[in-house]
Amino acid sequence: MPHTLALGSFIWLLLVASLVAIVSERLRFPYAIGLVVVGLGLASGPLLPPVRLEPHTLFTLFLPPLLFETAVQLDAHELRRDWIPITLLALFGTLASALLVGSMTAYFVALPLAVALVFGAIVSPTDPISVIAILKRLNVSRRLMLLVESESLFNDGVALVLFTSLLALAQGGAASPWDAAGRFFSVMLGGAGIGALAGALASRLVRVGNTPLLGLLVTTVLAFGSYMVADACGVSGVVAVVAAGGVFGNLAWRRREEHEAREVVETFWEYAAFVVNSIVFLLIGMEETRWHWWLLPGAVLSAILAVLVARAVSVYALSWLSGALGAPIPRTWQNLLVWGGLRGALSMAMALGLPADFPQRGLILGMTFGYVLFSLIVQGLTAGPMIRWLRLSGEPAPEQAEGA
């Protein structure tokens, strides 16, 4: 019988991930996509017992280190410089994508609108891990990297809160759309407040006792503790982790003599995120075989087209608005943002977290898993050639990076 991740399976998955990393490096093949492909093979073979991508484990054990590792390295100056496009893409882009995907699938797949909007929220967060690796290898503009990473980091929290709000509305747990909207913003702001406060307190504690080991201890408590406290308070744990990491990373180390402690802490979290990502992408491949999405070709194709169209409309429209507000995004970057907006484990976990009696649950799972696999394999494998075709590889001059 399938079971959640046990210690024995965890060690075996790490061994497999290590082998995949070596082969991927030799073949210059995207590591994350290689893990998904190998996971597909492992699920149908006898080498490992069937292991589940369990939503609770992903949210409480895997998401905090993934989010914290990225958030703690955010530069407040860079965020202030590009807050307009980041806010537009992460907040309004996520909302627009969920609305557009929900509307199109309600029409083409004949789902009730409330159910289709839940599906739209499920596939709205981007997870461009493999694209980020390609961007780093090809040495693209730092600002482009920031846009891709920041959108993915912040829209995870937006999508998860939107999902819970729309799920409550679809199940009659919210009195009206206005009630769902009020819950959405209160949960977002509550999570941000708890995370920011925790990050500020942790940064003060680390600066009082400036040692690498203390930094590791405090940041571990901060990453997981901010999530648990926010979740216990009924607000967004994901948003809390992002806020905690961002505030801590910009307040904890300001003096030159604190460089060693910062380097140790960031190296640790980079390693933790690498391990978690390796396990998650293997589990994505293994989980894909459990749901017979290939038996729903029409619905899966409709989902793929709906997500791609919604992504294109939201990115191009919001990029135009960003330019009108004084923060232009070059057209070639827009093209990459559209095609590089992959979906991954968070979408699958939200779909798996749907209640057993949710209307059309099996259909939503099939569409989600089908699109995620298409996204990772097709879009992921073509992202590198697209970057070269768009001539984005190689660090541009500062004025070019700003792009007009």
Side-chain angles (χ1 to χ4, degrees), residues 101-157:
V101 171
S103 301
M104 285 187 280
T105 51
Y107 179 79
F108 290 110
V109 190
L111 286 173
L113 181 59
V115 174
L117 288 174
V118 171
F119 171 70
I122 287 173
V123 294
S124 60
T126 56
D127 184 16
I129 297 299
S130 58
V131 175
I132 289 292
I134 296 171
L135 292 175
K136 290 180 178 178
R137 189 174 72 242
L138 296 179
N139 196 30
V140 303
S141 163
R142 168 62 191 165
R143 183 179 174 228
L144 175 56
M145 286 279 295
L146 176 72
L147 291 179
V148 175
E149 286 186 315
S150 300
E151 182 197 6
S152 175
L153 179 66
F154 292 118
N155 73 10
D156 281 355

Side-chain angles (χ1 to χ4, degrees), residues 48-403:
L48 282 176
V51 182
R52 294 283 306 277
L53 178 65
E54 203 271 323
H56 179 73
T57 302
L58 178 74
F59 293 143
T60 59
L61 186 61
F62 288 170
L63 267 186
L66 290 176
L67 297 171
F68 190 83
E69 186 269 337
T70 303
V72 79
Q73 298 187 55
L74 290 177
D75 187 289
H77 173 73
E78 292 181 336
L79 287 178
R80 283 195 297 269
R81 183 192 64 191
D82 279 314
W83 72 270
I84 291 177
I86 291 171
T87 302
L88 290 175
L89 291 170
L91 176 58
F92 297 102
T94 304
L95 296 173
S97 178
L99 178 61
L100 291 171
V101 171
S103 301
M104 285 187 280
T105 51
Y107 179 79
F108 290 110
V109 190
L111 286 173
L113 181 59
V115 174
L117 288 174
V118 171
F119 171 70
I122 287 173
V123 294
S124 60
T126 56
D127 184 16
I129 297 299
S130 58
V131 175
I132 289 292
I134 296 171
L135 292 175
K136 290 180 178 178
R137 189 174 72 242
L138 296 179
N139 196 30
V140 303
S141 163
R142 168 62 191 165
R143 183 179 174 228
L144 175 56
M145 286 279 295
L146 176 72
L147 291 179
V148 175
E149 286 186 315
S150 300
E151 182 197 6
S152 175
L153 179 66
F154 292 118
N155 73 10
D156 281 355
V158 175
L160 194 54
V161 176
L162 180 63
F163 168 72
T164 56
S165 301
L166 291 174
L167 184 60
L169 183 63
Q171 295 186 303
S176 67
W178 298 112
D179 181 50
R183 172 179 168 78
F184 172 82
F185 285 107
S186 64
V187 169
M188 287 278 294
L189 294 175
I194 289 176
L197 178 61
L201 293 175
S203 66
R204 177 64 63 89
L205 181 61
V206 166
R207 297 191 71 188
V208 170
N210 178 33
T211 66
L213 291 180
L214 178 63
L216 293 177
L217 178 62
V218 169
T219 53
T220 301
V221 174
L222 178 62
F224 291 97
S226 59
Y227 181 94
M228 291 189 292
V229 170
D231 190 57
C233 293
V235 295
S236 175
V238 171
V239 174
V241 174
V242 174
V247 171
F248 179 87
N250 282 278
L251 295 182
W253 298 289
R254 294 181 175 179
R255 298 189 299 267
R256 179 173 298 178
E257 58 268 24
E258 296 167 341
H259 175 73
E260 180 186 357
R262 176 171 192 160
E263 191 173 70
V264 170
V265 169
E266 290 186 348
T267 300
F268 167 78
W269 283 106
E270 185 177 356
Y271 165 74
F274 177 77
V275 170
V276 171
N277 265 319
S278 300
I279 299 299
V280 167
F281 277 96
L282 274 174
L283 292 178
I284 288 176
M286 299 176 73
E287 195 73 33
E288 283 283 355
T289 62
R290 295 189 61 246
W291 302 96
H292 299 158
W293 51 267
W294 54 87
L295 300 178
L296 304 166
V300 171
L301 180 60
S302 297
I304 291 172
L305 293 175
V307 176
L308 291 178
V309 169
R311 178 68 177 172
V313 170
S314 60
V315 168
Y316 290 132
L318 293 173
S319 295
W320 174 85
L321 180 58
S322 180
L325 294 173
I329 302 174
R331 177 54 62 90
T332 53
W333 293 14
Q334 297 174 36
N335 297 335
L336 180 63
L337 288 171
V338 170
W339 192 247
L342 280 60
R343 272 60 168 181
L346 183 58
S347 293
M348 294 174 64
M350 286 192 286
L352 289 169
L354 288 171
D357 60 348
F358 190 77
Q360 302 290 340
R361 182 178 186 270
L363 180 60
I364 291 177
L365 281 165
M367 292 193 300
T368 302
F369 279 45
Y371 175 69
V372 167
L373 190 61
F374 169 87
S375 171
L376 292 174
I377 301 297
V378 178
Q379 292 178 251
L381 287 178
T382 55
M386 184 179 190
I387 292 170
R388 296 185 184 92
W389 180 66
L390 293 173
R391 299 180 180 177
L392 297 176
S393 57
E395 187 67 28
E399 62 271 17
Q400 183 182 356
E402 296 300 323

